[in-house]
Amino acid sequence: MKQQIRAISAEFLKNKHARIRWFSFIAFALAPIFGGVFMILMKDVGYEGLSGAFKSKAVMFSFEANWQSFLGILSQAVGIGGILIFGFVASWLFGREYSDGTAKDLLALPISRTKILNAKFIYYTIWCLALVIANLALGLIIGFLLQLDGWSVAVFLGNLKTYFVTTALIILLNTPVAFFAIWGKGYLTPLGIVALLLVMAQIIGAMGIGNYFPWSVPGIYSGSGGADLKMQLNELSFILIIITGITGYFGTVLWWKYSDQK
């Protein structure tokens, strides 16, 4: 246990001054900011304040300038943007050791290789949770500043469940990204995989079979595909995500422990 705590502490120290953390927070914060702009444009004139794709989406999902719609937008932003941002975080955390030339140093340490990876997975989870909590706090500030209608504890808690379940699903889905970072010995390969999965999630989701493609499920669950599509999710949809997460974790650990690290 002491070794695990030391490994986690080392991970925090290594990333203490990493500027890329702030880049991830700024990039992810675009979601509540643009959601707020969306609300401002709709606040007095409804759909007439929007144009193009924004207007079509607002009409399709019956968005209004109120808390229910604004909190829904935050969840949908996590469902789609989270795959990209969380995938970026996992790619960098697990791939940087090879890019920085420190992977062999880690392997020489008198500590279990599994504990080193566990420390990275724990740090990755904390980083992702910090991102969504920061976004939620920023969203609440923006919502109250705009004085949106419809605030209630019931509305907030109802959306909070969707928000954090969506977050948990995407955190699970990025364990394979960690595997590709170690397998590819850097962060370019996993970033390519993340981009590919994001595109496939959109295409397969649009085909109507996204409930069986793990990377489409978080977006559907968040409501980005509409209520009808969300109703198609079933137990198998979530079981596939759990299997993907477990497979990605053990694949990463086994490759790190037993592969040739030349």
Side-chain angles (χ1 to χ4, degrees), residues 244-262:
T244 302
I246 292 174
T247 303
Y249 170 77
F250 283 105
T252 307
V253 171
L254 292 175
W255 187 270
W256 178 253
K257 287 182 69 173
Y258 299 115
S259 70
D260 188 352
Q261 296 288 344
K262 288 182 179 178

Side-chain angles (χ1 to χ4, degrees), residues 20-237:
I20 201 165
R21 286 186 309 164
W22 303 115
F23 173 76
S24 68
F25 277 90
I26 292 171
F28 208 45
L30 292 178
I33 292 172
F34 279 106
V37 172
F38 204 67
M39 293 293 110
I40 291 172
L41 294 174
M42 291 186 64
K43 194 167 184 182
D44 296 322
V45 292
Y47 300 142
E48 297 306 314
L50 305 173
S51 61
F54 287 115
K55 185 174 183 178
S56 300
K57 186 175 179 66
V59 173
M60 181 184 301
F61 293 99
S62 302
F63 282 150
E64 297 178 6
N66 58 30
W67 276 104
Q68 179 65 39
S69 294
F70 184 54
L71 292 172
I73 288 173
L74 294 183
S75 294
Q76 293 175 29
V78 173
I80 298 174
I83 292 178
L84 180 63
I85 300 297
F86 294 4
F88 177 82
V89 170
S91 300
W92 187 78
L93 274 178
F94 288 86
R96 65 168 298 193
E97 304 294 354
Y98 294 97
S99 301
D100 294 348
T102 54
K104 291 183 178 178
D105 297 333
L106 287 179
L107 295 171
L109 292 174
I111 184 171
S112 160
R113 295 184 180 186
T114 302
K115 287 184 170 60
I116 293 173
L117 281 188
N118 285 341
K120 287 188 174 294
F121 277 118
I122 290 169
Y123 191 88
Y124 154 75
T125 302
I126 293 173
W127 189 340
C128 293
L129 288 175
L131 284 170
V132 295
I133 290 171
N135 257 24
L136 182 62
L138 179 60
L140 290 175
I141 292 171
I142 291 173
F144 282 115
L145 286 176
L146 294 178
Q147 298 181 336
L148 295 176
D149 296 329
W151 168 264
S152 73
V153 175
V155 168
F156 177 66
L157 292 179
N159 282 281
L160 202 61
K161 177 188 172 186
T162 303
Y163 189 77
F164 280 107
V165 170
T166 303
T167 298
L169 296 177
I170 298 178
I171 287 175
L172 274 174
L173 282 175
N174 276 311
T175 55
V177 173
F179 167 78
F180 281 110
I182 291 178
W183 175 76
K185 297 185 177 180
Y187 42 70
L188 291 181
T189 300
L191 284 177
I193 295 293
V194 169
L196 177 64
L197 290 172
L198 186 60
V199 172
M200 289 179 65
Q202 302 306 307
I203 294 174
I204 294 175
M207 292 169 64
I209 54 174
N211 50 328
Y212 296 119
F213 184 64
W215 285 269
S216 295
V217 172
I220 295 174
Y221 181 82
S222 71
S224 64
D228 292 340
L229 200 55
K230 186 173 180 177
M231 291 291 290
Q232 294 181 17
L233 294 177
N234 51 42
E235 291 181 354
L236 182 58
S237 306

